[in-house]
Amino acid sequence: MGKRIFYFLLTNVLVLLTISIIFSLIGGGNYINAQGGIDFGALLVFSAVIGFSGSFISLWMSRWMAKKMMNVQVLDPNGALSGAELDIVEKVHRLSRAAGLTHMPEVGIYHSPEVNAFATGPSKKRSLVAVSTGLLQEMDDDAIEGVIAHEVAHIANGDMVTMTLLQGVVNTFVVFLARIAAWVASRFVREEMAPIVHFIAVIVFQIAFSILGSLVVFAYSRHREFHADRGGADLAGKDKMTHALQMLKAYSSRIKGEEQTAISTLKINNRSKASLFSTHPDLDERIRRLSAK
């Protein structure tokens, strides 16, 4: 599962843990009342502050982190570009204008044999569309346009911001429930050990509940792929979008069983069979729904 967790989610978990530990060390979030019980109202406010802070910090870092982790080469539209690079930039800008975007996304290429592309960024004004060298080598022009249209649709739909808000709600419940569970666990040890047990239990339960909470995020990720497919069809044409998905399916079948690192929830292609921990629906289902559109 680790190779299929998208960097936004990983960053969110780490940021959430960091903020929680800092708050605990400085004595923030006093939700234990005078009787030693939990003030649920204060805990809920505390949880929301930490939860939404974590998700928005993750969103703010998303474009920078994707560039660093994937070693993306950003293409300067005003610089000297090769034919293929210029063609990618032109496609992204043309489809972005068609989608009504007033600020053009950054365009990048990352070196990888996988056939994939991704879109990310904290807002429509500060977004990034990147394609792999494998995609440029394996796909024809119509399929590449369909893939790029899909990624531009993610940006136009505001999927990153929507996912951030959803992640903030999930984070709030993760922090809230983790502290209740930690408080309960600390009741079963000696009084002098209770603070240490509570501190450690918060971290353990927060990681465990974050994994469970990721199921909600993954479910939304699968849902948004259908919308991005339809958006891509509106921008590039239904035939090109369907052709792109069919080529992705053929590629997936050809390299089935191979292992490649992927930030799958950002990308168009997730080769694993759809499940609760999948970030993308099954390609056959995506093609079927798009054909029925």
Side-chain angles (χ1 to χ4, degrees):
M1 184 182 69
K3 288 188 176 182
R4 303 205 304 268
I5 291 183
F6 138 49
Y7 287 140
F8 171 80
L9 181 60
L10 177 60
T11 305
N12 175 80
V13 172
L14 295 176
V15 169
L16 194 62
L17 271 176
T18 301
I19 295 175
S20 298
I21 291 172
I22 290 173
F23 264 80
S24 297
L25 291 176
I26 65 176
N30 186 15
Y31 49 84
I32 304 299
N33 58 35
Q35 291 73 40
I38 296 177
D39 182 337
F40 290 100
L43 177 57
L44 184 59
V45 172
F46 170 79
S47 301
V49 170
I50 291 183
F52 280 92
S53 295
S55 62
F56 277 101
I57 290 173
S58 301
L59 176 66
W60 177 71
M61 294 175 61
S62 61
R63 185 173 65 163
W64 173 84
M65 191 166 185
K67 289 179 186 177
K68 295 298 182 182
M69 298 299 288
M70 301 303 296
N71 196 23
V72 174
Q73 174 193 351
V74 177
L75 304 177
D76 181 0
N78 299 316
L81 300 176
S82 68
E85 293 171 342
L86 186 61
D87 185 56
I88 293 300
V89 171
E90 187 277 330
K91 279 183 170 63
V92 171
H93 287 188
R94 173 168 51 82
L95 292 166
S96 296
R97 286 190 290 269
L101 298 179
T102 56
H103 291 75
M104 295 300 100
E106 283 188 324
V107 183
I109 294 176
Y110 64 97
H111 292 278
S112 172
E114 66 172 1
V115 174
N116 233 321
F118 68 85
T120 189
S123 69
K124 294 180 183 181
K125 293 181 179 181
R126 298 179 62 244
S127 58
L128 166 72
V129 173
V131 300
S132 69
T133 52
L135 182 140
L136 300 179
Q137 293 165 1
E138 294 279 345
M139 284 195 160
D140 59 34
D141 192 67
D142 284 350
I144 291 173
E145 184 164 342
V147 168
I148 292 175
H150 173 98
E151 301 307 333
V152 170
H154 274 311
I155 297 171
N157 292 341
D159 282 338
M160 286 297 292
V161 175
T162 307
M163 179 171 284
T164 298
L165 295 174
L166 174 62
Q167 188 69 64
V169 173
V170 171
N171 287 349
T172 298
F173 281 99
V174 166
V175 174
F176 186 80
L177 295 175
R179 275 152 181 75
I180 292 176
W183 178 84
V184 172
S186 69
R187 300 298 95 186
F188 290 93
V189 299
R190 296 193 305 272
E191 186 175 349
E192 63 271 19
M193 291 294 295
I196 298 175
V197 171
H198 184 273
F199 180 79
I200 296 174
V202 164
I203 296 174
V204 172
F205 282 120
Q206 198 161 295
I207 293 174
F209 291 152
S210 290
I211 294 173
L212 291 176
S214 70
L215 296 178
V216 178
V217 179
F218 289 153
Y220 170 71
S221 178
R222 294 192 296 272
H223 172 72
R224 74 177 186 151
E225 287 305 309
F226 294 122
H227 284 277
D229 287 342
R230 289 195 292 271
D234 291 337
L235 295 174
K238 182 177 177 179
D239 290 343
K240 290 182 180 179
M241 189 67 243
T242 303
H243 178 54
L245 293 175
Q246 289 171 338
M247 288 201 74
L248 286 173
K249 179 185 175 183
Y251 161 77
S252 300
S253 299
R254 190 169 71 251
I255 52 84
K256 186 177 181 180
E258 293 181 7
E259 289 290 333
Q260 291 178 350
T261 301
I263 46 176
S264 296
T265 53
L266 291 174
K267 297 180 178 181
I268 188 173
N269 183 26
N270 180 0
R271 296 185 303 276
S272 62
K273 192 69 175 176
S275 69
L276 287 176
F277 287 97
S278 296
T279 58
H280 288 53
D282 183 68
L283 279 167
D284 285 327
E285 178 64 13
R286 292 171 68 182
I287 293 170
R288 186 192 69 78
R289 291 202 185 191
L290 188 60
S291 299
K293 177 177 177 288

